[in-house]
Amino acid sequence: MVFTVLAALSGMERECIRDRTLEGRESARARGKAIGGAGVTDKPPSKPKI
C-alpha cells in the first residue's frame, strides 16, 4: 500500500514538472528566445581554413 501511495505521488509530481517545463518554454518563445539545438541546413560543410 505504501508503494501505491508513493507511485501516485511521483506521478503527480511528474505532471507538475512537465506542466512547469511547458509553461517555461512557452514563456521563452514569447520573449523570442531560441529553444533547441542548431538549425539544419542543406548546404554542404565548408572546408576548414588552414
Side-chain angles (χ1 to χ4, degrees), residues 13-47:
E13 182 63 22
R14 182 175 185 268
E15 289 179 22
C16 290
I17 291 170
R18 181 181 179 277
D19 291 342
R20 286 193 305 262
T21 302
L22 290 176
E23 289 173 5
R25 290 176 61 111
E26 289 174 5
S27 174
R29 281 194 191 109
R31 292 190 313 265
K33 300 290 182 180
I35 296 178
V40 177
T41 62
D42 291 334
K43 296 179 184 178
S46 61
K47 293 182 181 178

